[in-house]
Amino acid sequence: MKRSTVNEIIREADAFMKSFGFVLPPFAYLTPEALQAHVAGGGAVIRDHMMGWDITDYGQGDFEHLGLFLFTLRNGNAANVARGMGPLYAEKLLISEENQISPMHHHIKKTEDIINRGGGTLVLELWTRSDDGGFDETAPVEVLTDGQVRRLKPGEHLALAPGESVTLEPWHWHAFWGEGGKVLIGEVSNVNDDRTDNIFRDPIGRFSQLDEDAAPLHLLVSDYDDWL
């Protein structure tokens, strides 16, 4: 992806989130240099917990059709989990464009609530993970949707209107996209590490490779190793 494209996605995403009343924390709007100073001055949790902007085309160079916008608002880490103290949770805002696929994957440890916060319909394709890690093509898919148990056929599509949500466990293979317009999505989960916890069906990358054709408006979490 071109950095200039990433900058424009950030501007559009910020406006879209604000249109639903979601205002990001102050660190979201720091310049790269200001974020460097902020981290050095006591804000290292932002860097160490990978909080902030995250825009990915999964390394495929086709963001319009295969991609996702994310912003991690808060997160803990494995050390918190080990001692049972500190943030044991994560929260994100995501934007899925109309017919833009977030590809089929499951998580190793993460249980997550996926919430349609507004816009179009959020559609998920769901499968149960088999004992060998693949798809169980015969097992039904049981999920909670706003506290109600739903039993779906293997590979069935689950449509969530604004306000509706689903709880996904690590054994749920899932892909999702927007229908009828782009969708603002909330994600609430236990501690999340996107570097290690995603298992994709196809051999793709989690983060984008950037063509630095412009200066970054704001750093992405994938920039932190180089900048912070």
Side-chain angles (χ1 to χ4, degrees):
M1 295 183 70
K2 292 183 179 294
R3 178 72 72 170
S4 58
T5 301
V6 167
N7 289 344
E8 185 57 29
I9 292 169
I10 287 174
R11 294 186 183 99
E12 292 177 358
D14 188 43
F16 187 65
M17 289 184 286
K18 286 177 177 174
S19 75
F20 293 98
F22 288 93
V23 180
L24 297 179
F27 77 83
Y29 302 106
L30 296 176
T31 65
E33 294 76 18
L35 185 58
Q36 284 178 320
H38 184 75
V39 168
V45 166
I46 293 169
R47 176 197 64 207
D48 297 343
H49 294 191
M50 296 186 72
M51 296 160 58
W53 303 95
D54 184 359
I55 296 165
T56 182
D57 63 359
Y58 301 97
Q60 304 305 297
D62 188 16
F63 180 78
E64 180 181 357
H65 299 104
L66 185 71
L68 189 64
F69 166 90
L70 312 92
F71 189 95
T72 300
L73 295 154
R74 63 200 86 249
N75 199 10
N77 61 18
N80 294 352
V81 175
R83 65 175 183 267
M85 299 175 64
L88 304 175
Y89 46 81
E91 181 186 7
K92 298 180 180 181
L93 286 171
L94 296 71
I95 298 172
S96 186
E97 299 282 345
E98 185 172 13
N99 298 321
Q100 181 190 45
I101 302 294
S102 182
M104 188 63 67
H105 65 288
H106 73 81
H107 302 290
I108 298 173
K109 296 181 179 179
K110 184 171 71 170
T111 296
E112 55 188 348
D113 277 7
I114 301 295
I115 309 124
N116 186 335
R117 293 294 191 191
T121 300
L122 179 63
V123 180
L124 301 96
E125 179 184 336
L126 298 172
W127 298 81
T128 296
R129 190 180 68 200
S130 60
D131 291 340
D132 64 4
F135 289 13
D136 191 324
E137 297 186 0
T138 61
V141 182
E142 288 194 352
V143 292
L144 287 176
T145 57
D146 299 304
Q148 179 180 3
V149 177
R150 293 279 299 275
R151 190 177 176 92
L152 307 174
K153 297 176 182 177
E156 186 174 350
H157 291 179
L158 174 68
L160 299 177
E164 294 182 324
S165 70
V166 62
T167 300
L168 300 177
E169 303 283 1
W171 56 84
H172 289 133
W173 281 101
H174 55 285
F176 57 87
W177 58 91
E179 281 191 0
K182 62 183 177 181
V183 186
L184 180 63
I185 305 164
E187 178 185 309
V188 178
S189 74
N190 50 335
V191 167
N192 172 228
D193 186 346
D194 274 318
R195 292 165 294 197
T196 62
D197 196 53
N198 299 288
I199 303 296
F200 291 100
R201 177 184 61 187
D202 300 318
I204 59 177
R206 170 58 180 81
F207 299 106
S208 300
Q209 299 296 316
L210 295 184
D211 174 2
E212 302 291 352
D213 68 326
L217 177 65
H218 304 300
L219 295 182
L220 304 180
V221 295
S222 54
D223 292 320
Y224 289 176
D225 285 347
D226 291 332
W227 281 78
L228 306 179

